[in-house]
Structure formats: C-alpha cells, structure tokens
Amino acid sequence: MVEGGFTKLFQKRSFFHFAQKYQSLGSGEPEEETHEECELKIVEQEKEVTVLPPKDACKCHKEDLAKALKVDLQTGLSEFSVLQRRLKHGWNEFSVENTEPIWKKYLDQFKNPLILLLLASALVSVITKEFEDAASIAMAVLIVVTVAFIQEYRSEKSLEELNKLVPPECHCLREGKLQHLLARELVPGDIIYLSVGDRVPADLRLIEVTDLLVDESSFTGEAEPCNKTDGVLLEAGDITTLSNVVFMGTLVRYGKGKGVVIGTGENSQFGEVFKMMQAEETPKTPLQKSMDRLGKQLTLFSFGIIGLIMLLGWLQGKHLLSMFTIGVSLAVAAIPEGLPIVVTVTLVLGILRMAKKRVIVKKLPIVETLGCCNVICSDKTGTLTANEMTVTRLVTSDGFQAEVSGVGYNGEGNVYLLPSKEILKEFSNVSVGKLVEAGCVVNNAIIRKNSVMGQPTEGALIALAMKMELADIKDIYVRKKEIPFSSEQKWMAVKCALKNEDQEDIYFMKGAFEEVIRYCTLYNSGGISLSLTPQQKAFYQQEEKQMGSSGLRVLALASGPELGKLTFLGLVGIIDPPRAGVREAVQVLFESGVSVKMITGDALETAVAIGQNIGLCNGKLKAMSGEELDQLAEAELSSTVKNVSIFFRTSPKHKLKIIKALQRAGAVVAMTGDGVNDAVALKSADIGIAMGQAGTDVSKEAANMILVDDDFSTVMNAIEEGKGIFYNIKNFVRFQLSTSISALSLITLSTVLNLPNPLNAMQILWINIIMDGPPAQSLGVEPVDRDTIKQPPRRITDSILSKSLILKIFMSAIIIISGTLFVFWKENPKSGITPRTTTMTFTCFVFFDLFNALTCRSQTKMIFEIGFFRNRMFLYSVLGSFLGQLAVIYVPPLQKIFQTENLGVLDLLFLTGLASSVFIVSEFVKLCEKRCCRRPKHTKGCHN
C-alpha cells in the first residue's frame, strides 16, 4: 500500500511537471483543468507508443524514429514516460512460465515404482481386512512422498534463485543524464550508449556509430563480427542484412555506438530464442552423473538381496504378504534414491553461500572443479590490483619531471615540478600543460561522484587534469573521428578541431611507448616542435624503463596534424596499487598447493614490481614475454610454463596458449580477467572468473564465475567452498550407505538364520525417513572447515568412494548390525517375538543412525575440533528425529501404527550407551589416523 501510494504521488508530480510544458498561452481556464487535460493527453500519447519491428525501424530516418517512439534523441525519455510505457510493455525480461502446478509435481512422486508397490501392498491389506496395516502403510507412503517432494521443490527453488544473481546492466540516457541501469528497466524509446565489451540490452536502432563491430553469432552463426552503420536502409532482408539494427544478447566487439530501444523482453528477436531455450534441460554435473551410476548399481544389488530375502522367507513358510510388504519397504529404505537430489541441493546451497561472500557461480559443475583447481592464471589490472589508477609521475619530452599527489578519482592533490616542488596549474609550465591536455582530450572516461565511468587508466588522466585545473579543456575541441584502443594495436587516437576556429585538424594519441613513438617524427620543447633524434628516443626509452621498474604503468602521449607526423609530448606514470588482502590470499593459496601466475600486457619491470609486492611464488619469480612464448614449440611450452610465474607483454592469443599448455601438462586452470581481451581465455579455462564491477559483459558471458567486488582474495573463499562441498557430499554418502547396508544386512541375516524379522515394514520406512530426511540433508550444509583451504587440490579423477571411505562405511555398518542383532538376541524370549523385542531393536537401530550421523560430520576431524553447535541445522534435525522416535514409542496412536510399546528410562540409557559405540570407534579411528599422518609430515618437510 505504501509503495503504491508513493508511485501515485510520483506520477502526480510528474504530471504537473509536464502539464506546465503543455499549458497553452493565454488560456483563461482554471490551472487544475489544464493539468488534467495535459495529463490525459500525455497518457494517451504514451499508450500509442508501440514496439517497432526491426524490418520497419531500419527504414526510418532518425527524425521519424524519434517521432514514432515519442522521444527526444538528445535528452532521452522522462521518468514519467518510462513509468507509463512499462505499464504497457512490462519489464525488459523473460518470464519463466511454470506450466506444471505444484499439486501435479506432488502427485508425480507417486509414479515411483517402489511407492506403487507399497500402495499395492496396502490395497492387498484392505482386501484381506487387515485395515490397521493398510492405514499404517498409507501413512508411511504419504510421509516418504512428502519428504521427497520437499527435497525436489527446494532444489528447483534454489536453482531459480541462481538465475537472479547476474543481472545485465547498461548505460542509458534519461532526462538528459547518462545513467547506469539494470537492463530489465528499459522501455521502448530509451536511448542506449554502447562501447567495447557491452552486451546489447535490448533490440536497438542505431543513430550514431564509431567503427562499430557487433558479434551476432548467437543469431546468425557467423563467427566474424558484423560492421554496423547508422544510415537508413532502403530494403529490409533477413536479420543478417539489417546493418543499422543491433539485437538483444549480441556483443560489441569493437568501437562504440548510440541507439534507440525498439524492442524489449519477449518482443525482441531474442524472445524467440528464449522460448526455444526453455525446452532445453540443464545437463547434469559429473558428480551428479557418478551419483546416478552409484545409485543404479546399489539399486540392482539391493533388488538382488531383497529378492533373495523374499524367496528364503517364502521357502521357510513365512506369511507371503508380510514378506512382500517388508521386501518393498526394505527396497524403499535401502535404495539411495535421495543421493542425486542431495548432491544437487548441496551444490546449489554451496553456490548460494558463495553468493553471500560476493562470488557468483553460473554453472553447477564449476563447484566440483573448484576443489581440483591447482593453477590460477590472473590478469593483473583490476584483479590483483585495485583498478583505481592514479598518475604519480610525469616526464615531458623536453626533460621536465613532475610528481603527483593524491589517490583515486576525486581530483584531490597537486602536481609538483621537480626538483623545485613548485605547484603547477594550467599552462604555468607549457610542456607539462600540453602533456596533461593531450591525456584529457584523447579520453572517453567521465568522473562522477568520485567514481569513473569508463576505463580506469583514462579516469586517472582526467583526475590528473582536475588537479591541474584543466578538466574542461576537452570542451574547446570538437571530436571528428576516433580510432579506438585495441589489445593488438595498443594505442588510441582522436581527430579533433578547435571550436569556432578555422584551423587544421589535430590528432591526439595515447598508448604503449614503443607503439606511439613509431608515429612520431618530432618532439615538443617548450611549445616548439623539434626533430626527433635517436638520442631523444633512447632517453625516452630509458625513462620508460625506469618508471616501469618501479611498478608504474607507462603511457606515452603525442599530438600533430597527421598520424605519421606526430609530436611526442612525454610519458605519464600510473600506479595501480595491489588490492588489500591479495598478498595474504596468494600466500595461503601457495601453501595449499595452488600456484598463482600473473598474465599482463605490461612491461617486464612493471610486472615484476607488482609480482614482488604481492609475494608471487614466495619472491622466486621467473618471467616470460609473449614473444618468447611464440618461439617455443608446443611440447616445450607445456614443460616450461609450469615454472613461470609472470607472463608480460601478452596478447589474447598468448593467454590462450598459456592455458592450453598448462592443461596439457595436467593442470586444472582457473583464469581471472575483466577485459574483452580476456574473453577467449576465460572460456577455455577449466574455471573462467570474471570481475563483477570492472568486467565487461563479454568477459562475464565467457566466465563460469563472477567476483562481485572484483576482489581476488574471494577466489580463495570460492576454492575453500568448492573443497568443503565435496567433503560434505562424502560425509552424506558415508552416512547413507552405512545405513543402507546395515538395514539390508540386518533383514538378510535374520532371514538366512531363519529368525523372526527384527523390524517390521513401518519401522523400516521410518528409518528411511531419517536416512533420506533432515539429518542426512543437514550433513550437506556443514559449514566449511577453516583448514579445508590448506588441503591440497584433489585430482579430478578421484572418486567419492575412495578406499578409505569404503572401509569407514563397512566399519560403521558392522558396528550397527552387531549392536542391533545383540539387542534383538538379548530381548528375544523363548516364547517368540514380542512388541518389546521389535521396539528395543528398532530404537537401537535409530539411535545407532543418529550417532553415526554425528561422527559423519567430518572424515578427519573429531567432534570436539569441529564443535557441537557449529551446524545448527544438524542439531535441530537430530533433536527432531530423537523426539519423533520417542513419539513413535510413547504416543498410543503411533504405537498401533509402528507396533511398539513403552520403554523404561534404563532401557533408553542402555540403548544410548550401546549406540554411541559407533561414534566412539569412529572418533578413535580419526585420532589414530591423525597420529599416523603427523610423523611422515615432519620427515618430509614442507611439500607444496
């Protein structure tokens, strides 16, 4: 109600604002009436705005387009127009229609063959007038089905949550201001700005372009990017020929552009693709597949044993219906149908926990791979470093040097001429002024509220101009052309002319020193251009090397009338300080057997300075350049790259080469990056990790994982979580298999030895609820142990069922079987089996199960080390199961269903003491393993 009221108030205020615009001059009517008329008029106009099909939009002139969509191309839509259009066109997103109602999903659970067999058993009980048995079986079936439904429903809901974690974003012009919005907020008529690396947020008709290339392979299958224009098309063919339209979901590979939204959500071209996508099922993860295989193998084994039990029972003359009901109940309990579901739930809950730690995982299999990762190839800029570039040093072409104070993009600080420490402003020193001017003009960044919109390097140059009081100097120029930066050419240039002056055009260029100097024939000396000599070039090269060796990123700047005849202006040294926590994260990863390699386009000196600062390879650095990589043969490269910790002066193809070489050498590689130039490597790596804030849409699309805060140290948290999830699944598997084996063996032994059945069908089904229900589920959410990160990466081929785990499963099963059979033998009077006998045996088995779950919380750590209260869900689950068991024993209606009777306090104490043996023995085995493992550790020394 409050929200609705606020919206109405906002709309009303907006109406009054617009009414003032439309108020006719000299009108004698009351103001309120004029407002109301304008209000209705504007609403009607907004209702007339429709989505333009691409084939119609491509033929429209800009003016016709603006008229059709009722938008000012210079200022964009108003907030009021946006609200009205959203009411008609909805959000720019695809609604996932859940065609299957919840009641149908619940009824689908009854299609399980084992459940149908149990219901058949209940029907036979009704026919034979054993109504109590029929009611008991029906109630058990309801409980089992409800538990299975809740598990699956929870898994689906968790997966739906994952789809909301990565919202696409865009730059939109509204009310004359460039805003950073979520793509879902767009409506037809919005003005969108596109730049390199952006994902197109809606279908757009382009109105301005600068060398725009768009990857439309998602629609056309063409690998080559399409060249886009803003001109009018005379004829419209298929979508591949619409050169002035870009489609939602495509990627900007080069250049930049501006366009008007003509289609959103399901009215876009992507809408059709989305509908086809809905029909596709998400593939299962390798771990899920292995759990499915394990489940099928155990199912076949269980059916064989159950068939044998039923045959032996029948031959021994036992009641056939009773043996059938017990056989089916045993099948429900022994067959681990919950394994794949629990694996999915555990993986998904792990992903949601990672999201809270500001790490978004896009695909389930990546969670498994994280625990196997043994090499991280990290991009330097924006990942290992803060990506808040700050200019700290200037060297002009005529030898002046200056240092700059202040950090970040707030413009605070000064430029000091060395060695006099004179504070420079504007053109008080012509050479420094011209250098700063060039950096400000050849620039696309905007600084707003102390944050940069654009590239951080360009933001640093704008911040420098702010310190020199030259930030507005770019406004005296009109930009005529731009040659955008690319990782191949390593420079950017703009062609400009002075406003209101009839002078020749001037080029400004910035980029890597070795590239910019190739276009220069002159150098600036106090405002005069002189011929560039080899001695001057050698001096600049020496200065560039010296700045680079102190960890600075060096940019060269030049200007002139032609690209081949530029005047060299000087060098700018920019520092990108390492992120807080990176050094500690690199150290912890190194100690746990994960090697971190830095890949950068920077020079050797800059790369080594940063590498030493963050403690790469404990300071024992080995570096290799992109050129050296090109000279190595494939076989030689695989053996060499393992020992290299820094790769400098690399291009995208080098990054790909490094990753492929490491993978051939048997490494599981994670690659972090944020730029367009990282996209190919991110896709090729076993784990592609993009940056959430500085990362381009291309890199986010190519990656499997996104670091929301761009913080490298959260990679450590992700690896820790990945390892922890795998161990949690192992804990669950141990608990479930030891319980399955115990239940099967108990009935098998009693049948083979011609003893009465120690458990009835209802009791077996109750055990199944504990085995597949909350206590088992809670093992999957055990908090990650702090020492997990110190464990070495596991091999990707390692099975969950290791020899050690199999031995522990059988050890637990033998203790449970022995203890339960002992109680059954002790409580079995000569006169025959009684309700007390089955109650004691049944309660003994359940208590064994709960103590077994307690010790399964960790395979290596004792309960006192991990703490009793750390996993609260487990405590509540065990407490609930214990209270449920007491209810089964003491509540009269449940006594009838489960055929139990009251037990004394001493009976419960005796059973608790006996059942705790499985916990005590398992904890003792952990203690022995610890002591045995401790000795070799000292003899081998530190091995990582």
Side-chain angles (χ1 to χ4, degrees):
M1 288 292 287
V2 175
E3 190 179 341
F6 176 78
T7 307
K8 283 178 184 174
L9 176 67
F10 178 78
Q11 288 181 0
K12 197 74 179 169
R13 287 182 67 183
S14 302
F15 281 135
F16 289 150
H17 172 74
F18 274 87
Q20 286 167 7
K21 275 190 182 181
Y22 287 93
Q23 194 172 350
S24 55
L25 292 170
S27 172
E29 289 180 12
E31 198 177 331
E32 289 79 4
E33 207 171 299
T34 309
H35 283 167
E36 200 153 316
E37 280 176 12
C38 290
E39 183 178 307
L40 290 168
K41 186 181 175 184
I42 297 161
V43 170
E44 286 305 313
Q45 283 178 346
E46 293 300 339
K47 279 183 181 175
E48 287 169 18
V49 175
T50 56
V51 170
L52 274 179
K55 290 184 180 180
D56 293 343
C58 70
K59 298 175 189 174
C60 293
H61 287 275
K62 292 179 193 177
E63 296 77 18
D64 299 331
L65 193 70
K67 196 175 177 183
L69 292 167
K70 294 185 171 50
V71 60
D72 185 330
L73 299 182
Q74 302 307 312
T75 59
L77 294 174
S78 67
E79 289 299 335
F80 170 70
S81 296
V82 170
L83 277 171
Q84 291 303 314
R85 292 180 193 204
R86 191 170 294 135
L87 289 172
K88 181 178 178 180
H89 300 285
W91 295 96
N92 179 31
E93 61 187 5
F94 306 105
S95 56
V96 181
E97 288 183 17
N98 193 359
T99 49
E100 206 170 57
I102 198 165
W103 59 266
K104 192 175 182 299
K105 286 184 179 182
Y106 184 77
L107 291 179
D108 283 347
Q109 300 295 325
F110 288 93
K111 291 179 182 176
N112 185 323
L114 295 173
I115 297 297
L116 292 173
L117 279 173
L118 273 176
L119 289 173
S121 177
L123 185 64
V124 172
S125 296
V126 170
I127 294 164
T128 55
K129 296 186 179 179
E130 294 178 8
F131 297 115
E132 281 189 7
D133 282 356
S136 302
I137 293 166
M139 185 174 283
V141 165
L142 276 174
I143 294 169
V144 169
V145 162
T146 303
V147 168
F149 167 73
I150 289 167
Q151 284 176 345
E152 282 191 24
Y153 184 72
R154 187 180 172 197
S155 173
E156 283 176 17
K157 282 289 166 195
S158 301
L159 284 166
E160 280 174 26
E161 283 298 310
L162 294 185
N163 297 328
K164 299 173 187 174
L165 293 176
V166 197
E169 298 170 343
C170 62
H171 290 100
C172 175
L173 182 71
R174 282 187 185 167
E175 296 188 334
K177 293 175 186 173
L178 191 61
Q179 301 178 29
H180 193 72
L181 301 175
L182 292 176
R184 74 185 292 268
E185 296 176 31
L186 298 180
V187 294
D190 263 325
I191 310 292
I192 303 300
Y193 283 76
L194 300 172
S195 56
V196 180
D198 285 353
R199 177 165 287 282
V200 178
D203 286 359
L204 309 178
R205 161 67 162 90
L206 296 167
I207 53 174
E208 284 178 25
V209 298
T210 307
D211 300 328
L212 188 64
L213 291 178
V214 177
D215 179 354
E216 293 185 342
S217 56
S218 53
F219 286 111
T220 63
E222 290 290 329
E224 284 297 309
C226 305
N227 192 20
K228 293 293 179 179
T229 62
D230 56 7
V232 179
L233 299 183
L234 299 174
E235 288 185 16
D238 62 13
I239 61 168
T240 57
T241 63
L242 307 182
S243 60
N244 60 2
V245 176
V246 287
F247 302 103
M248 178 195 277
T250 55
L251 302 172
V252 178
R253 293 288 188 194
Y254 194 81
K256 59 181 187 175
K258 180 181 172 184
V260 185
V261 174
I262 56 169
T264 57
E266 290 178 9
N267 294 318
S268 66
Q269 286 292 317
F270 197 71
E272 292 301 314
V273 180
F274 180 79
K275 285 167 194 166
M276 286 168 16
M277 239 165 51
Q278 287 297 97
E280 292 296 315
E281 286 188 16
T282 308
K284 290 188 175 181
T285 75
L287 190 59
Q288 285 173 303
K289 287 176 185 172
S290 68
M291 287 294 102
D292 281 345
R293 280 197 303 274
L294 179 63
K296 282 172 187 170
Q297 289 163 1
L298 291 169
T299 301
L300 290 171
F301 176 73
S302 301
F303 269 129
I305 297 290
I306 290 159
L308 182 68
I309 290 169
M310 289 174 69
L311 180 65
L312 282 172
W314 180 61
L315 291 173
Q316 289 166 358
K318 290 181 181 175
H319 191 242
L320 190 60
L321 179 61
S322 170
M323 287 308 298
F324 174 74
T325 307
I326 283 176
V328 174
S329 302
L330 200 55
V332 172
I335 294 166
E337 74 284 350
L339 266 179
I341 294 170
V342 168
V343 168
T344 306
V345 170
T346 306
L347 290 172
V348 169
L349 290 177
I351 288 174
L352 294 173
R353 277 201 305 274
M354 285 190 205
K356 286 177 185 172
K357 294 179 182 177
R358 316 295 283 160
V359 178
I360 292 168
V361 177
K362 289 165 66 182
K363 294 173 185 172
L364 279 181
I366 295 307
V367 182
E368 301 166 35
T369 318
L370 277 166
C372 307
C373 174
N374 51 16
V375 177
I376 299 175
C377 293
S378 178
D379 192 41
K380 178 183 76 68
T381 307
T383 309
L384 293 171
T385 55
N387 206 12
E388 202 169 57
M389 302 292 239
T390 307
V391 176
T392 59
R393 195 162 164 223
L394 306 173
V395 176
T396 66
S397 51
D398 51 354
F400 285 108
Q401 300 210 6
E403 67 177 18
V404 186
S405 64
V407 177
Y409 306 116
N410 53 20
E412 291 175 9
N414 289 303
V415 178
Y416 301 95
L417 189 67
L418 297 177
S420 65
K421 291 279 187 179
E422 177 196 343
I423 295 176
L424 300 178
K425 297 289 179 187
E426 297 183 337
F427 287 93
S428 57
N429 180 294
V430 176
S431 299
V432 174
K434 286 185 82 66
L435 182 63
V436 174
E437 176 192 32
C440 189
V441 176
V442 61
N443 203 312
N444 290 321
I446 301 167
I447 290 179
R448 189 173 288 157
K449 293 180 182 175
N450 298 340
S451 63
V452 67
M453 290 178 78
Q455 290 298 322
T457 308
E458 293 191 331
L461 294 173
I462 297 285
L464 171 67
M466 286 161 71
K467 291 168 188 176
M468 286 274 289
E469 296 176 3
L470 287 171
D472 298 327
I473 199 158
K474 67 192 303 184
D475 297 335
I476 68 168
Y477 292 97
V478 178
R479 187 180 290 191
K480 291 187 171 181
K481 184 185 175 185
E482 178 185 327
I483 303 167
F485 177 88
S486 79
S487 49
E488 281 78 26
Q489 70 187 24
K490 293 178 182 170
W491 56 266
M492 170 197 175
V494 292
K495 181 183 178 183
C496 300
L498 282 164
K499 280 183 184 174
N500 308 320
E501 286 189 35
D502 214 10
Q503 289 187 9
E504 63 177 12
D505 295 338
I506 182 168
Y507 279 91
F508 291 95
M509 179 189 277
K510 73 167 187 293
F513 166 74
E514 60 268 29
E515 297 298 326
V516 172
I517 201 75
R518 286 170 49 208
Y519 292 88
C520 298
T521 54
L522 306 165
Y523 77 95
N524 173 58
S525 179
I528 301 163
S529 295
L530 303 175
S531 290
L532 191 61
T533 62
Q535 290 85 353
Q536 288 294 127
K537 282 186 183 180
F539 165 71
Y540 302 145
Q541 196 163 8
Q542 188 183 344
E543 285 293 332
E544 191 245 0
K545 208 168 212 177
Q546 193 180 339
M547 288 164 82
S549 63
S550 57
L552 296 177
R553 185 173 184 177
V554 185
L555 279 182
L557 290 141
S559 66
E562 290 177 40
L563 281 182
K565 297 177 181 176
L566 297 180
T567 301
F568 187 74
L569 299 173
L571 302 167
V572 173
I574 303 171
I575 191 164
D576 185 10
R579 286 185 173 276
V582 166
R583 188 180 178 88
E584 293 77 8
V586 167
Q587 186 62 32
V588 171
L589 289 166
F590 178 76
E591 287 170 2
S592 67
V594 180
S595 123
V596 180
K597 299 182 187 298
M598 183 168 77
I599 305 176
T600 179
D602 280 339
L604 172 64
E605 292 81 7
T606 309
V608 169
I610 293 290
Q612 286 172 339
N613 200 336
I614 62 171
L616 273 189
C617 219
N618 271 5
K620 298 167 188 172
L621 300 176
K622 187 179 176 186
M624 181 182 279
S625 70
E627 281 182 21
E628 289 172 301
L629 275 170
D630 288 332
Q631 290 162 11
L632 291 175
E634 200 172 273
E636 197 182 349
L637 188 63
S638 295
S639 58
T640 308
V641 292
K642 288 192 288 184
N643 305 316
V644 178
S645 48
I646 291 175
F647 297 92
F648 64 97
R649 285 290 185 233
T650 56
S651 67
K653 64 175 184 176
H654 292 134
K655 289 183 179 182
L656 190 60
K657 250 188 172 182
I658 293 161
I659 285 166
K660 294 287 185 192
L662 286 164
Q663 286 170 334
R664 280 195 301 273
V668 177
V669 186
M671 165 77 193
T672 75
D674 60 355
V676 177
N677 60 341
D678 299 321
V680 181
L682 286 170
K683 201 155 193 174
S684 304
D686 297 288
I687 306 163
I689 306 170
M691 302 295 113
Q693 291 178 355
T696 56
D697 283 349
V698 177
S699 65
K700 289 179 196 173
E701 179 63 23
N704 315 110
M705 218 169 97
I706 298 168
L707 305 183
V708 178
D709 295 329
D710 298 7
D711 190 350
F712 177 82
S713 55
T714 53
V715 175
M716 184 177 70
N717 296 334
I719 290 175
E720 185 178 50
E721 194 71 52
K723 288 178 180 177
I725 286 167
F726 187 79
Y727 293 138
N728 283 351
I729 291 169
K730 279 182 91 166
N731 297 341
F732 167 79
V733 167
R734 177 184 170 181
F735 170 69
Q736 192 163 55
L737 293 191
S738 55
T739 307
S740 285
I741 291 165
S742 303
L744 265 178
S745 305
L746 196 64
I747 304 296
T748 307
L749 285 169
S750 61
T751 308
V752 169
L753 298 171
N754 199 19
L755 296 169
N757 281 324
L759 301 170
N760 62 40
M762 291 305 302
Q763 291 167 354
I764 292 168
L765 289 171
W766 176 252
I767 288 164
N768 174 62
I769 289 163
I770 292 174
M771 191 179 83
D772 277 346
Q777 293 277 313
S778 61
L779 288 172
V781 294
E782 184 71 33
V784 176
D785 181 28
R786 290 191 189 101
D787 291 337
T788 300
I789 192 67
K790 294 175 186 173
Q791 300 295 321
R794 84 184 152 81
R795 288 189 296 273
I796 206 154
T797 51
D798 283 357
S799 167
I800 276 195
L801 281 176
S802 60
K803 284 181 185 176
S804 165
L805 190 64
I806 291 168
L807 286 172
K808 285 175 181 175
I809 287 167
F810 279 109
M811 179 191 75
S812 297
I814 289 164
I815 295 168
I816 294 168
I817 295 160
S818 306
T820 310
L821 281 176
F822 169 72
V823 170
F824 182 61
W825 167 80
K826 178 178 170 291
E827 296 294 331
N828 198 359
K830 290 177 184 177
S831 57
I833 198 163
T834 64
R836 174 178 168 79
T837 309
T838 53
T839 305
M840 285 288 283
T841 310
F842 170 44
T843 307
C844 179
F845 194 98
V846 169
F847 281 14
F848 262 122
D849 231 15
L850 298 179
F851 274 110
N852 187 31
L854 184 62
T855 195
C856 284
R857 281 179 61 193
S858 173
Q859 301 300 316
T860 54
K861 289 205 164 186
M862 297 175 73
I863 191 68
F864 304 107
E865 292 177 277
I866 58 174
F868 271 103
F869 306 104
R870 209 169 61 140
N871 186 350
R872 292 197 175 179
M873 185 181 164
F874 177 82
L875 281 179
Y876 298 144
S877 303
V878 169
L879 183 63
S881 302
F882 177 71
L883 293 173
Q885 183 63 24
L886 293 182
V888 163
I889 298 168
Y890 295 110
V891 176
L894 293 176
Q895 283 180 335
K896 279 190 176 182
I897 293 169
F898 289 93
Q899 296 167 23
T900 57
E901 66 173 39
N902 293 350
L903 296 178
V905 175
L906 289 176
D907 291 329
L908 292 177
L909 289 173
F910 164 70
L911 292 175
T912 304
L914 180 65
S916 65
S917 60
V918 71
F919 169 75
I920 293 163
V921 172
S922 294
E923 293 295 292
F924 180 71
V925 168
K926 289 178 197 174
L927 187 65
C928 293
E929 280 179 342
K930 266 196 166 181
R931 293 210 170 152
C932 291
C933 292
R934 210 172 279 165
R935 282 178 199 138
K937 204 171 181 182
H938 289 301
T939 55
K940 286 181 185 176
C942 184
H943 176 66
N944 276 313

